[in-house]
Amino acid sequence: MIRRGIGVQSYVSAGGAAPVDADAQAFIDAAGITDATQQDAIITLVEDLKGYEIWTKMKAIYPFVGGTSSTHKWNLKDPRDLDAAFRLVFSGGWTHDSTGGTPNGINANANTYLTPGTHLSTTSAHINYYAGTINTSGGIIIGNGNLSCYMQRTPTNLEGSLATTSVSNISNINTAAFYMIFRPNNTQQKLQKNSNIVLTDNKTSSGYSGGNIYLASYGTSGFWANARCQFASIGDGLTDTEAANLYTAVQAYQTTLSRNV
């Protein structure tokens, strides 16, 4: 089998298989991924992120691969089963299968244990959620309790904020898609759908408040989302080119797994 990516290549030759990227292998081992297609998808994703020079900007990457809560919980950047490694802890009603993890929109969320005020910069940050289904509940797909770091898919709008409670909002954008809000500096926050930056908003950062970032809500109660999560990431801010490249890498990953939207 040939595995090729933008970064380190891994392939079968007469002398045997070349070593797989160590970060990809650590995740595969921790999550117990045995399916060859899923393994190749992870390896190529890591290689692509490194080739695009995005890997080092990531604090947490959740590939949602393997089909169960015990495989979906792992952070690709640090696959240890610890709060300090930002692995997910799922609560409430989730459905886990090969397409990702689907919260019920009633009481389901996942705690990342990553706190913006401690782990994210106020001048350079991003949060991202690949929604495989429409968020009909109107809840927060990723965020923390004080709404200084969140992204929400309402029935018609996309909105969010980073390092401020001043909200950026754009209407008529409710589809299954890759969504991201990122702050490249202390004066702008940008909303992205798939490869397109749909809004550049002049919002000056003022700091974070609240607790940990959750998937599918903004904390332990309220604003529950029901959009299927197929990938999520949290980390430093990106340039416009890096943001487009992140989508390209994630979409290629989803396509390999036959679940791209």
Side-chain angles (χ1 to χ4, degrees):
M1 181 176 295
I2 297 175
R3 299 187 181 104
R4 297 191 184 277
I6 293 173
V8 177
Q9 293 183 353
S10 181
Y11 57 89
V12 175
S13 65
V20 171
D21 179 279
D23 291 305
Q25 191 64 60
F27 176 89
I28 289 167
D29 292 344
I33 304 299
T34 59
D35 180 85
T37 298
Q38 294 174 358
Q39 289 180 352
D40 282 349
I42 288 295
I43 292 165
T44 301
L45 174 64
V46 173
E47 291 174 353
D48 286 350
L49 293 176
K50 290 183 178 182
Y52 286 130
E53 299 182 352
I54 302 172
W55 177 260
T56 57
K57 294 193 170 187
M58 297 293 178
K59 307 288 187 185
I61 303 171
Y62 304 109
F64 277 81
V65 65
T68 69
S69 61
S70 61
T71 61
H72 289 170
K73 72 181 184 180
W74 299 96
N75 174 9
L76 180 59
K77 277 298 300 278
D78 187 353
R80 296 177 297 156
D81 197 4
L82 301 171
D83 295 352
F86 309 138
R87 62 88 174 85
L88 297 174
V89 173
F90 295 99
S91 300
W94 284 83
T95 300
H96 296 274
D97 57 31
S98 61
T99 64
T102 305
N104 62 11
I106 300 171
N107 64 358
N109 62 25
N111 190 348
T112 70
Y113 288 91
L114 191 155
T115 304
T118 302
H119 302 112
L120 295 182
S121 166
T122 59
T123 61
S124 175
H126 85 273
I127 52 175
N128 150 247
Y129 191 106
Y130 192 107
T133 56
I134 295 173
N135 190 44
T136 58
S137 72
I140 289 172
I141 54 179
I142 180 170
N144 77 332
N146 199 259
L147 303 184
S148 62
C149 176
Y150 85 104
M151 188 166 49
Q152 181 175 9
R153 288 293 304 104
T154 70
T156 58
N157 296 347
L158 172 67
E159 66 178 47
S161 64
L162 276 177
T164 177
T165 55
S166 183
V167 174
S168 296
N169 184 294
I170 187 168
S171 61
N172 300 319
I173 199 167
N174 189 12
T175 61
F178 170 105
Y179 290 106
M180 182 162 64
I181 182 169
F182 66 100
R183 180 174 284 281
N185 52 56
N186 70 325
T187 61
Q188 291 180 322
Q189 56 189 16
K190 301 187 179 189
L191 294 174
Q192 179 172 332
K193 176 185 176 182
N194 294 331
S195 62
N196 300 313
I197 295 172
V198 293
L199 180 66
T200 297
D201 208 359
N202 294 323
K203 303 287 188 183
T204 300
S205 61
S206 57
Y208 298 106
S209 56
N212 299 339
I213 293 175
Y214 285 74
L215 305 184
S217 78
Y218 74 173
T220 56
S221 63
F223 292 97
W224 309 102
N226 63 356
R228 184 173 68 230
C229 187
Q230 297 181 191
F231 180 94
S233 68
I234 306 167
D236 298 340
L238 306 170
T239 66
D240 290 1
T241 297
E242 289 169 339
N245 287 341
L246 176 57
Y247 167 73
T248 298
V250 174
Q251 187 68 348
Y253 168 74
Q254 303 292 347
T255 300
T256 299
L257 296 176
S258 300
R259 62 187 200 185
N260 53 299
V261 297

